[in-house]
Amino acid sequence: MKYSFLLFFLLPYLALSQVQLEWNANIDTELSRGGSDSHYFYNEIFRPDSSWRVDVPEMNLLAKLHIGAQWTFNARLQFIREQGRRPGIGKDLDRYELLIPLLNIEWEHPKERYKVTLGRFIHPFGSFNQRQLSTQRTFIGLPLAYSYFVNISNQVGFMEDMGEAFVRVNDLVLWGAPMLYGGGYTTGAKAKWVQKNGNSWDLALTTGAANLQEAFGNTLNWGAVVHYHTQPNYAWELGYSISIGSFMETSDAVAALTQPNRATQTLVGVDFQWGSGFWEIRGELIGAHYRVPYSTLQGDSTRTLQAVNERHTFLSLSAYTDVKYESPFLSGSFIAYRIDGLWFGSPPAEVAAFQNTYWDDRVLRHSLGIGYKILPYLLARLSVSTQSVDRRPWDRTQRTFRLMVTGHF
């Protein structure tokens, strides 16, 4: 196991300290349907599963081991469908993935002013990543910045129409990556400092940029993240984030690509939350700056990739806002609305092979959700969404219907 070496840090303390174990689990069961152009990389519904389908998309087991008053060992075991496919009940078990996305050891100052974390932990950029489990989220789907795959990948850099089915080189199918890894975890070291006024800083050194999914790859990638959280008054909470790092890997698809760790992604974000009475509003505004090479396809029958090693600048912007109302008449129920957008700048003038106005299609999504806590350990949520891609008329091709029931304890 990649992170099993962390256990050795615990051994001297297990015999000398008081040990306390906390653990909990959850399981999601979902009824879903998507439009005819659904895809996991567009709206989180895998295309063959776009008809009515009942499934178990995810199961989790979380553990927290307290070792004395200051040391904690954290772990999460996740059972999920590979590449976004939903795990079929009683079939296709070979497509399950058993992951350990969270595994770290933490030391906390006796007065809870400082905390240091080593291992794999929640990425500190923004506020959405802090809500990792279904029970912590208003909507079933992720915001576009965390789920919509764009025309920049960690294999070939920028390439036009990366998300379309015909981008295939021999047996290799090429996809892009979202602005931020939707799994929400990164690997490295993190320090948290809580000031006397309650404001806090998170600083992390990681093994890659915010859009990199794999903890370790065949390239020595690097990353750094800073997040500042403040609460000006009782109702408002604000956060400011910056992330910079490299994310590309050497690939058999592009043999000519050199120095992949010089390709970088920089994110700057603002997150906010306002709450008063039965109302809550929260969201994020994120700007992305990529400095990456670009690749083009050559040939018709036998396709090869041609890489251009010079780095070029690509800009994008994402924003979402969630508005939630909890009913005073039916305790445990809520209704919510999300507006979510993803916009792209003009492609660099040097990329002569690219003829479109923007380097990817702009997306605007509307989502409506309702939820009800049936029992203290049973939460039901329903979400519907529709989206417009690159100013095309609203249609049914990428709409979604998702009903999820989560059991947790």
Side-chain angles (χ1 to χ4, degrees):
M1 191 178 298
K2 289 182 179 179
Y3 311 112
S4 60
F5 71 93
L6 291 175
L7 294 173
F8 290 100
F9 288 95
L10 298 176
L11 295 179
Y13 302 97
L14 289 174
L16 301 176
S17 304
Q18 182 179 0
V19 177
Q20 180 182 1
L21 176 65
E22 297 178 19
W23 67 282
N24 56 73
N26 74 343
I27 180 171
D28 296 329
T29 303
E30 182 181 70
L31 169 67
S32 66
R33 180 179 173 84
S36 58
D37 286 342
S38 292
H39 197 288
Y40 183 73
F41 301 131
Y42 301 151
N43 59 6
E44 300 179 65
I45 292 182
F46 190 58
R47 185 168 294 164
D49 301 336
S50 59
S51 58
W52 289 107
R53 183 178 178 87
V54 177
D55 221 328
V56 179
E58 184 175 324
M59 292 178 280
N60 290 280
L61 177 65
L62 294 97
K64 185 184 291 286
L65 185 67
H66 300 278
I67 307 167
Q70 295 172 256
W71 291 91
T72 306
F73 181 74
N74 302 284
R76 177 183 179 183
L77 191 66
Q78 183 182 42
F79 199 43
I80 194 170
R81 169 59 77 196
E82 180 184 2
Q83 294 184 350
R85 296 178 175 89
R86 297 293 183 240
I89 300 176
K91 61 180 181 180
D92 298 333
L93 293 180
D94 60 314
R95 296 190 180 276
Y96 276 114
E97 281 186 304
L98 185 61
L99 306 177
I100 306 178
L102 173 71
L103 188 65
N104 64 60
I105 186 168
E106 290 183 336
W107 175 86
E108 187 170 24
H109 187 268
K111 295 184 179 180
E112 300 182 351
R113 294 284 307 281
Y114 309 97
K115 181 185 291 186
V116 178
T117 306
L118 179 65
R120 190 153 176 85
F121 47 81
I122 294 175
H123 199 288
F125 187 96
S127 61
F128 185 82
N129 276 335
Q130 307 307 312
R131 307 189 299 275
Q132 280 295 305
L133 301 178
S134 298
T135 52
Q136 300 169 324
R137 294 175 176 177
T138 302
F139 289 90
I140 299 171
L142 308 182
L144 290 169
Y146 298 82
S147 60
Y148 197 89
F149 282 56
V150 302
N151 288 342
I152 292 178
S153 80
N154 67 341
Q155 290 182 308
V156 298
F158 168 80
M159 188 167 67
E160 187 177 4
D161 295 328
M162 182 80 70
E164 301 299 332
F166 61 79
V167 181
R168 181 188 295 269
V169 180
N170 297 328
D171 294 328
L172 180 65
V173 179
L174 300 174
W175 295 101
M179 289 174 59
L180 290 92
Y181 165 47
Y185 292 97
T186 188
T187 304
K190 183 179 71 169
K192 186 180 185 69
W193 172 40
V194 180
Q195 299 174 299
K196 291 183 179 180
N197 59 5
N199 299 339
S200 63
W201 290 88
D202 285 282
L203 301 94
L205 297 177
T206 67
T207 56
N211 65 339
L212 188 62
Q213 178 175 349
E214 298 296 331
F216 301 102
N218 56 29
T219 300
L220 188 61
N221 284 302
W222 56 273
V225 192
V226 178
H227 180 260
Y228 175 66
H229 175 269
T230 181
Q231 188 167 1
N233 54 52
Y234 177 78
W236 278 100
E237 293 184 45
L238 298 171
Y240 306 91
S241 303
I242 184 168
S243 168
I244 184 171
S246 62
F247 62 94
M248 291 194 65
E249 304 283 348
T250 56
S251 171
D252 293 337
V254 187
L257 189 64
T258 61
Q259 295 181 295
N261 59 0
R262 288 182 53 213
T264 60
Q265 182 207 48
T266 301
L267 297 179
V268 178
V270 178
D271 58 88
F272 60 90
Q273 179 177 333
W274 174 86
S276 180
F278 301 103
W279 292 92
E280 179 185 84
I281 301 175
R282 65 169 69 199
E284 292 181 286
L285 174 66
I286 304 170
H289 174 283
Y290 297 88
R291 189 71 177 165
V292 295
Y294 72 90
S295 300
T296 57
L297 279 172
Q298 305 291 326
D300 296 323
S301 57
T302 303
R303 295 190 167 193
T304 59
L305 279 168
Q306 178 66 41
V308 179
N309 275 295
E310 292 81 5
R311 272 60 179 168
H312 300 280
T313 298
F314 298 85
L315 302 175
S316 62
L317 180 70
S318 179
Y320 74 90
T321 299
D322 293 352
V323 181
K324 179 181 178 182
Y325 176 73
E326 296 182 357
S327 172
F329 308 106
L330 184 59
S331 178
S333 66
F334 68 83
I335 184 170
Y337 166 73
R338 171 185 288 171
I339 184 169
D340 196 1
L342 186 57
W343 302 271
F344 302 89
S346 301
E350 301 92 337
V351 187
F354 193 74
Q355 303 298 324
N356 293 342
T357 306
Y358 307 101
W359 62 267
D360 207 334
D361 295 333
R362 294 172 291 176
V363 187
L364 183 64
R365 176 186 292 172
H366 295 275
S367 302
L368 182 67
I370 59 175
Y372 179 58
K373 184 177 287 187
I374 304 171
L375 295 169
Y377 51 85
L378 199 62
L379 173 66
R381 291 173 299 152
L382 185 150
S383 295
V384 293
S385 70
T386 185
Q387 63 192 38
S388 172
V389 180
D390 199 26
R391 298 176 295 176
R392 285 181 284 188
W394 299 93
D395 55 37
R396 300 176 180 273
T397 59
Q398 290 186 10
R399 290 182 178 180
T400 66
F401 172 97
R402 303 178 72 179
L403 173 63
M404 181 174 288
V405 177
T406 302
H408 61 94
F409 64 90

